[in-house]
Amino acid sequence: MAVAPKPLTQTTHEVHEFSSTRKWIIAFSVMLGTVLEVLDSSIVNVSLPHMQGSFSASVDEIAWVVTSYLVAAGIMIPMTGWIAERFGRKRYFVASITMFIVSSALCGVAQSLNQIVFFRLMQGAAGAAMMPLSQAILMETFPPREQAMAMAVWGIGMMVAPIMGPTIGGYITDAWSWRWNFYINVPIGTLAAFMVYRFVDDPSYMRNLRRGRIDLLGIACLFITLGLGEIVLDRGERADWFTSPWVVYCTAAALISLAILIYHELHTEDPVVDLSILENLNFTLPVVLIIFLTFTLYGTAILNPVFLQETLGYTASKAGLVMAPRGFGTMFSMIILGTYARRGGDIRPLVGIGFILVAIAMWRMSGLNLASDVRRIVWPTVIQGVGTGLIFPGLSAAALSSMEKFKMGRAASLYSVTRNLGAAIGTSYLTTLLIHRQQINQSNLVEHITVFTLPHMQMPGGLNMGNEFAMGHKHGMAMLYGMVQRQAAMLSFNDIYRDLTVLMLILVPTFLFLKRDTRNLPAEAAH
């Protein structure tokens, strides 16, 4: 079994006391860079058509601008705790922000597709450290009774930034150029690097850790497993999954590498990924739940814009505005949860309530139709945002508060990996499921369209399909086919949202198994 590095001195449970002002300065410092990284993962998506024209690239080729970022980040995230222990958390954080700034500027001046893909690899590798390191720093900066509140404030930025990204990116692209989506990272990142350098310090126990040999085999297996896995999940649907030889070979290589990685990491002295952390069930349960939450959150973040634009005919900007209120719902609930937690309230039931609210939102979305107005669409997304805001900080606090301080960095890295894993699986699986369900529903609908049903069908504009068919109008038949496709797509969305409703309801009772953090409660309340 892997043995975590032990501190030389008895500082495992060292508690840092910061003034209220300094705590929030530290929180703002680490969040600034993290929000920038999360925002950048989605702000570029809306600019892809413009970038496609600049580089004369096909749709499939320009998608590597997004894929390269996700692959690099996915590989580096689980290594952040290990790297921070070897080189220092503060030093690593500042270096990551600096590399992020440089790679962002290089992306802005890129003159070819190969250049921007390479610079996006650099950007993803640099930004990967910010999320887990910021979580670990916040958990050590705030006392136990304020950690849920700190995670709520941190979560506001993490959950709202991806939602607002497309809207901000679209405005910048239209007003200036897609290159400015990268250039704006330079001044903000510079401020973040300065504040981290000025206000964040490494805890003393990190300076006293014993460090073993570099786990080269673990690093190699991690690169192969997560690199190929991310590529398969992100690009597999375009290649029709396992009908494509490269998907089969990459999947096989990733699974073999994963098996070697698990065995090796459990039997080496200083593993790059400390899998022994998963033996702590108080950590493992929130990890499993966050996978399902991000599966739903990021899956619907992909489905909803597709539904609005391709099925209801919304423009990209209008679709972004319709989806934006979900971020305000998340912000509202996280503020409420943070205030409640700071007063010593038990936040575990709020996790169950959050899953109920997400289930209600999914059920409401499953009842949409082609005549649904904006209000009918906005309210379920707001409810989903409120529910997500109640779940996310509770799970983060429950997972990381159960860790010893010298394992905090590695635990935060592993926790962030599972969030990315859930997001990757959710976007890949739900988009594939949408296509398959649409084919099935279209086939079912076509079976019920005959020469006998056409006279009873009215098209928009007052056209009677019976007359159009009898006259042999191709225009009318094309409209009929389009209507069938839209109805099939609508039914497919309804089916998926019903499936997600069931999934969320199944997860409601899990809050009963979360352990309450009793470190700062009176004895009579600690039960």
Side-chain angles (χ1 to χ4, degrees), residues 35-55 59 61-70 100 103-108 110 113 116-117 119-121 123-124 161-174 177-185 302 316:
V35 169
L36 191 64
E37 185 272 333
V38 175
L39 183 67
D40 212 72
S41 65
S42 61
I43 195 174
V44 178
N45 294 359
V46 73
S47 304
L48 291 181
H50 298 264
M51 298 167 69
Q52 185 180 349
S54 298
F55 300 126
V59 174
E61 289 173 335
I62 203 65
W64 280 103
V65 173
V66 176
T67 303
S68 58
Y69 183 94
L70 297 176
F100 191 84
S103 57
S104 295
L106 291 173
C107 286
L113 180 64
I116 196 168
V117 168
F119 296 145
R120 284 284 283 175
L121 279 168
Q123 194 182 36
I163 297 172
M164 300 303 296
T167 304
I168 297 173
Y171 175 79
I172 291 174
T173 302
D174 291 339
S177 164
W178 63 264
R179 298 181 185 274
W180 280 96
N181 284 322
F182 297 106
Y183 291 149
I184 62 169
N185 293 340
I302 294 295

Side-chain angles (χ1 to χ4, degrees), residues 237-514:
E237 195 277 327
R238 292 183 178 90
D240 200 18
W241 294 109
F242 296 105
T243 59
S244 176
W246 77 262
V247 174
V248 176
Y249 298 145
C250 287
T251 303
L255 292 176
I256 293 171
S257 179
L258 176 62
I260 297 173
L261 176 68
I262 293 174
Y263 179 83
H264 175 72
E265 297 303 276
L266 291 175
H267 294 84
T268 191
E269 181 181 356
D270 187 16
V272 67
V273 180
D274 191 358
L275 298 179
S276 65
I277 293 174
L278 295 175
E279 293 178 349
N280 184 344
L281 295 180
N282 295 321
F283 176 81
T284 304
L285 178 58
V287 161
V288 173
L289 294 180
I290 203 68
I291 289 176
F292 286 114
L293 179 63
T294 53
F295 174 94
T296 302
L297 177 64
Y298 286 89
T300 54
I302 294 295
L303 291 182
N304 290 346
V306 173
F307 164 67
L308 293 174
Q309 295 180 65
E310 296 188 6
T311 306
L312 296 187
Y314 285 26
T315 62
S317 57
K318 185 177 180 181
L321 290 174
V322 170
M323 298 307 304
R326 184 174 70 174
F328 295 108
T330 301
M331 186 183 303
F332 171 77
S333 61
M334 284 187 173
I335 293 173
I336 298 299
L337 182 143
T339 304
Y340 178 71
R342 190 174 186 181
R343 295 177 179 176
D346 185 0
I347 63 174
R348 291 175 300 171
L350 298 182
V351 174
I353 294 172
F355 279 122
I356 292 174
L357 290 176
V358 177
I360 292 173
M362 295 298 98
W363 180 253
R364 295 282 294 171
M365 292 292 286
S366 72
L368 294 177
N369 56 58
L370 297 178
S372 297
D373 58 12
V374 171
R375 183 182 301 177
R376 177 72 174 79
I377 298 169
V378 166
W379 278 110
T381 63
V382 173
I383 295 172
Q384 183 189 11
V386 173
T388 302
L390 293 178
I391 301 169
F392 184 80
L395 293 182
S396 299
L400 299 181
S401 65
S402 65
M403 288 289 107
E404 299 94 335
K405 281 187 176 294
F406 68 89
K407 287 188 176 183
M408 187 70 72
R410 297 197 180 199
S413 300
L414 195 56
Y415 186 78
S416 295
V417 170
T418 58
R419 293 179 69 252
N420 276 29
L421 180 63
I425 295 175
T427 53
S428 178
Y429 177 76
L430 292 183
T431 51
T432 303
L433 183 61
L434 176 65
I435 295 172
H436 290 172
R437 290 282 179 90
Q438 189 168 350
Q439 292 171 346
I440 294 172
N441 288 324
Q442 182 173 327
S443 177
N444 293 335
L445 289 173
V446 169
E447 290 178 359
H448 295 84
I449 299 177
T450 68
V451 293
F452 302 106
T453 59
L454 287 175
H456 305 287
M457 299 178 64
Q458 293 291 330
M459 298 291 291
L463 292 176
N464 183 281
M465 283 310 304
N467 296 334
E468 294 290 318
F469 180 80
M471 297 172 63
H473 285 183
K474 294 181 179 180
H475 177 67
M477 295 307 296
M479 292 181 66
L480 173 62
Y481 180 67
M483 183 179 71
V484 171
Q485 283 189 312
R486 292 180 67 207
Q487 292 290 350
M490 186 72 258
L491 292 173
S492 302
F493 284 111
N494 293 155
D495 292 341
I496 292 174
Y497 288 128
R498 276 192 288 268
D499 293 343
L500 294 176
T501 300
V502 174
L503 175 62
M504 292 297 101
L505 289 177
I506 292 174
L507 298 179
V508 170
T510 56
F511 80 91
L512 298 171
F513 302 97
L514 296 174

Side-chain angles (χ1 to χ4, degrees), residues 64-294:
W64 280 103
V65 173
V66 176
T67 303
S68 58
Y69 183 94
L70 297 176
V71 170
I75 292 173
M76 291 300 298
I77 284 175
M79 297 176 59
T80 55
W82 180 81
I83 296 174
E85 289 176 3
R86 289 186 166 269
F87 300 101
R89 185 184 292 165
K90 174 180 178 178
R91 188 180 302 167
Y92 184 30
F93 209 143
V94 173
S96 294
I97 299 175
T98 303
M99 183 177 171
F100 191 84
I101 295 170
V102 172
S103 57
S104 295
L106 291 173
C107 286
V109 300
Q111 299 300 312
S112 69
L113 180 64
N114 290 336
Q115 286 182 6
I116 196 168
V117 168
F118 177 74
F119 296 145
R120 284 284 283 175
L121 279 168
M122 291 176 52
Q123 194 182 36
M130 298 183 197
M131 185 178 296
L133 290 185
S134 63
Q135 277 188 306
I137 291 171
L138 287 177
M139 290 295 290
E140 293 188 354
T141 300
F142 288 82
R145 65 185 178 86
E146 296 180 357
Q147 286 175 355
M149 177 192 64
M151 286 295 99
V153 175
W154 182 87
I156 290 174
M158 299 310 102
M159 306 303 288
V160 174
I163 297 172
M164 300 303 296
T167 304
I168 297 173
Y171 175 79
I172 291 174
T173 302
D174 291 339
W176 297 301
S177 164
W178 63 264
R179 298 181 185 274
W180 280 96
N181 284 322
F182 297 106
Y183 291 149
I184 62 169
N185 293 340
V186 176
I188 301 175
T190 302
L191 175 61
F194 169 77
M195 293 191 68
V196 171
Y197 178 80
R198 175 66 179 81
F199 297 106
V200 176
D201 294 309
D202 287 340
S204 60
Y205 73 84
M206 289 196 71
R207 296 189 290 270
N208 297 325
L209 289 174
R210 290 193 182 99
R211 298 170 178 89
R213 293 182 301 176
I214 296 177
D215 183 15
L216 294 177
L217 178 59
I219 294 173
C221 289
L222 191 66
F223 268 68
I224 295 172
T225 301
L226 294 180
L228 295 182
E230 286 278 355
I231 291 173
V232 168
L233 287 173
D234 191 68
R235 312 282 295 183
E237 195 277 327
R238 292 183 178 90
D240 200 18
W241 294 109
F242 296 105
T243 59
S244 176
W246 77 262
V247 174
V248 176
Y249 298 145
C250 287
T251 303
L255 292 176
I256 293 171
S257 179
L258 176 62
I260 297 173
L261 176 68
I262 293 174
Y263 179 83
H264 175 72
E265 297 303 276
L266 291 175
H267 294 84
T268 191
E269 181 181 356
D270 187 16
V272 67
V273 180
D274 191 358
L275 298 179
S276 65
I277 293 174
L278 295 175
E279 293 178 349
N280 184 344
L281 295 180
N282 295 321
F283 176 81
T284 304
L285 178 58
V287 161
V288 173
L289 294 180
I290 203 68
I291 289 176
F292 286 114
L293 179 63
T294 53

